Amino acid sequence: MFTPPLEAGLRALWPTVLTDPGQRRVVQALDTGSQGLLYIAGPLLASWLATTYRPDAALAATAALGLAGTVVVLTAAPSRTWRPAAPDSGAAGSGRLMNTALVLLFLALAGTGFTLGAMNVWAAGMATAHRQPLLSGVLPAAFSTGSFLGGLIYARRAWPGTNTTQLLATSTLFLLGWLPLLSQPGPRTAIGLALLPGLFLTLVITCGFHTVDTLAPASRTTEAYAWLILSVGVGQACGTALAGTLADHPHTLAALPAAGAATALAVLACARGRLGPARRRGRHRRTHATGASLPRHARS
């Protein structure tokens, strides 16, 4: 409950740090993709502290690192100087945050979060089935490695198409990446295959933030980013809960991540006409001069 909303706040700060839309596109993709590193290094660090010292040491280190990171963000110059955009009183309904398009987008990204939650339980199920406890950490780490690599690839160039087109395309690829895992491969093969959907997670989340930037009022984009993050988190909780109840059914458990990705794609396909005008990424950015708060992902 007391985790600081750093991700939504950081998204709002990037335009004050980088005024060039192309540079922001790159850094937002790297921002999302780099979170994959947290899910690789974090569990390793926690395990090392817990085994070398004691579990209390890992918990204390987690609290200390979280506090230190928060202080760094809060005391940075962009945080201290940022101000929200003033509502545009001349536009009808300009101050209203929620609309049908945003609700559908958040619902779709809840499906993406469902996939992440189900994946963690599936990884634990694989570890139990093959009597290899490390799989419960290695499989999510492989997925997160793919997410980091996907962010690097996405950031290297400007990709064609509108926000909506890219969101649909990356969501489709995210779903396709899960399909090979339905065959219940062995541990080594599963580790390699887990990279595939991970490659596209960063792209889905980044395109989702770009779409929010298009749909939300300039004065409420930070709040909209927070709703997006909340949607992913709620979906992740639901995926974990349902997968936990089905842990004794390996084939069903393996299908749940793909089911979440398919749900997300179906919602996006239905909402395609509502998700924004046919503009290319970066061209709809509101500049710092207008005081806009614009846009960074998994975990998950």
Side-chain angles (χ1 to χ4, degrees), residues 166-177 200 204 261 265 268:
Q166 291 190 12
L167 183 58
L168 283 166
T170 54
S171 296
T172 300
L173 293 171
F174 185 60
L175 169 59
L176 293 177
F200 304 106
V204 172
L265 179 59
L268 289 173

Side-chain angles (χ1 to χ4, degrees), residues 104-125:
L104 290 172
L105 175 64
F106 295 154
L107 181 61
L109 291 174
T112 303
F114 182 97
T115 294
L116 301 179
M119 175 198 66
N120 291 324
V121 181
W122 165 75

Side-chain angles (χ1 to χ4, degrees), residues 20-299:
D20 178 74
Q23 291 180 335
R24 285 206 301 272
R25 179 191 65 81
V26 171
V27 78
Q28 287 160 9
L30 292 176
D31 184 1
T32 302
S34 65
Q35 291 190 45
L37 295 177
L38 303 180
Y39 294 97
I40 301 171
L44 294 176
L45 177 61
S47 298
W48 176 76
L49 288 171
T51 55
T52 304
Y53 300 98
R54 58 186 185 185
D56 288 352
L59 183 61
T62 299
L65 288 172
L67 179 60
T70 302
V71 170
V72 168
V73 173
L74 290 178
T75 57
S79 294
R80 290 184 284 105
T81 59
W82 181 87
R83 296 293 182 273
D88 183 3
S89 58
S94 60
R96 179 183 178 186
L97 173 61
M98 288 300 178
N99 54 55
T100 302
L102 277 175
V103 170
L104 290 172
L105 175 64
F106 295 154
L107 181 61
L109 291 174
T112 303
F114 182 97
T115 294
L116 301 179
M119 175 198 66
N120 291 324
V121 181
W122 165 75
M126 287 283 289
T128 300
H130 294 280
R131 298 182 180 180
Q132 297 184 26
L134 284 178
L135 281 177
S136 62
V138 171
L139 286 169
F143 178 85
S144 297
T145 301
S147 177
F148 176 66
L149 294 175
L152 291 179
I153 295 170
Y154 185 75
R156 285 186 63 85
R157 53 163 293 183
W159 297 89
T162 65
N163 289 335
T164 302
T165 301
Q166 291 190 12
L167 183 58
L168 283 166
T170 54
S171 296
T172 300
L173 293 171
F174 185 60
L175 169 59
L176 293 177
W178 286 107
L179 298 184
L181 290 165
L182 297 178
S183 62
Q184 296 278 38
R188 292 185 180 180
T189 304
I191 292 171
L193 291 176
L195 283 165
L196 295 178
L199 285 171
F200 304 106
L201 174 65
T202 291
L203 281 62
V204 172
I205 299 298
T206 301
C207 290
F209 275 112
H210 289 321
T211 304
V212 165
D213 186 33
T214 303
L215 297 174
S219 61
R220 302 188 69 177
T221 47
T222 308
E223 183 182 355
Y225 304 148
W227 276 105
L228 186 154
I229 297 163
L230 174 63
S231 299
V232 175
V234 169
Q236 187 173 352
C238 293
T240 301
L242 181 58
T245 64
L246 299 173
D248 294 332
H249 304 277
H251 292 285
T252 303
L253 187 61
L256 286 180
T263 301
L265 179 59
V267 174
L268 289 173
C270 293
R272 178 171 187 169
R274 297 176 177 267
L275 292 180
R279 300 177 185 174
R280 293 187 181 277
R281 268 184 302 95
R283 306 221 174 165
H284 62 275
R285 298 288 185 220
R286 305 174 182 97
T287 65
H288 178 50
T290 61
S293 57
L294 303 174
R296 146 186 135 102
H297 164 210
R299 66 171 331 288

